[in-house]
Amino acid sequence: MAVPTTLIQPSKPRRVPTAVLISGRGSNMEALLAASRDPAFPAEITLVLSNNPGAPGLASAAKQGIEAMAIDHRPFGRDREAHERALQEVLVAHGIQLVCLAGYMRVLTPWLVGRWEGRMLNIHPALLPKFPGLHTHERALEAGEGQHGCTVHLVTAGVDEGPILGQASVPVLAGDTPATLGARVLAREHELYPAMLARSAQAILDGQ
Ligand code: GRF
């Protein structure tokens, strides 16, 4: 008798369990959550984590029924890795396969980065390799750039240095302030990040 192979093949997960790490406002997290509400989106945001118990994004995620948790970095003092071990425990316990940093304002140690090689994304508000680090909009204006934008990249041990997955640019307009330019960039961030997460998650589902 023929073996019913379709019945004994393990079913592949349909969506990639994904965590978003935030430290504050969480508007990129909101954009990722909105995208992941579509059941056809290849990543499912199942966890939002923060180092900051007061991060407004935590309350908003919880209100939307997403597990949202803070692991305050302060009790760990200078021991960054001990804080990251606590984060890692929660990520593993939730079966997370992809991590999106979205305004997560802690520099990660090589220990945590090494555990998520190729599986941790970050969004940076500049066209890397230009303007790594902070105050990117001020610096782009000071430098007289005609174009500015945002980058989604894989996280490596060097801050804002990992392989670039995608970028979106905006024009710098006469009379721009860091606030007006930043708002223009942020609108593009909210489109770029879900698109790049979708691509990374789909690659995992496809076994690449
Ligand atoms: C964004 O501009 C992001 O590019 C940067 O931090 C900011 C976070 O904003 N890494 P939000 O918390 O997503 O609103």
Side-chain angles (χ1 to χ4, degrees):
M1 207 173 86
V3 177
T5 50
T6 49
L7 292 181
I8 58 173
Q9 272 171 0
S11 64
K12 275 193 186 174
R14 233 169 32 84
R15 310 222 282 159
V16 178
T18 301
V20 184
L21 267 59
I22 63 170
S23 294
R25 175 177 60 179
S27 72
N28 276 287
M29 176 212 74
E30 296 286 358
L32 295 173
L33 278 185
S36 111
R37 252 178 245 128
D38 175 354
F41 193 75
E44 182 178 10
I45 313 288
T46 52
L47 177 67
V48 174
L49 270 181
S50 182
N51 64 302
N52 170 18
L58 276 181
S60 162
K63 229 186 254 170
Q64 296 173 61
I66 306 293
E67 177 142 16
M69 199 186 293
I71 301 179
D72 194 340
H73 63 277
R74 288 169 297 190
F76 295 89
R78 285 166 184 263
D79 195 345
R80 286 176 176 273
E81 201 179 294
H83 176 244
E84 291 176 355
R85 284 183 188 276
L87 290 174
Q88 176 72 357
E89 212 172 283
V90 174
L91 293 169
V92 170
H94 283 77
I96 295 300
Q97 290 183 32
L98 254 180
V99 175
C100 290
L101 305 183
Y104 187 70
M105 299 306 284
R106 307 269 304 164
V107 174
L108 300 178
T109 73
W111 181 82
L112 190 64
V113 172
R115 260 134 205 90
W116 291 95
E117 209 181 323
R119 295 288 185 106
M120 184 182 270
L121 280 53
N122 181 44
I123 186 148
H124 181 74
L127 295 171
L128 291 172
K130 284 185 177 174
F131 312 117
L134 298 174
H135 310 300
T136 56
H137 311 313
E138 287 89 332
R139 287 157 61 207
L141 287 172
E142 273 163 27
E145 296 289 319
Q147 293 280 309
H148 186 44
C150 51
T151 302
V152 172
H153 64 95
L154 288 174
V155 175
T156 56
V159 175
D160 300 331
E161 279 179 9
I164 290 173
L165 300 179
Q167 295 186 306
S169 57
V170 300
V172 178
L173 303 179
D176 259 340
T177 63
T180 59
L181 180 56
R184 197 174 304 122
V185 171
L186 193 63
R188 300 306 309 278
E189 292 186 37
H190 296 163
E191 298 163 357
L192 180 69
Y193 212 176
M196 294 303 101
L197 170 58
R199 205 160 74 184
S200 299
Q202 192 58 54
I204 291 173
L205 294 177
D206 294 344
Q208 289 164 23

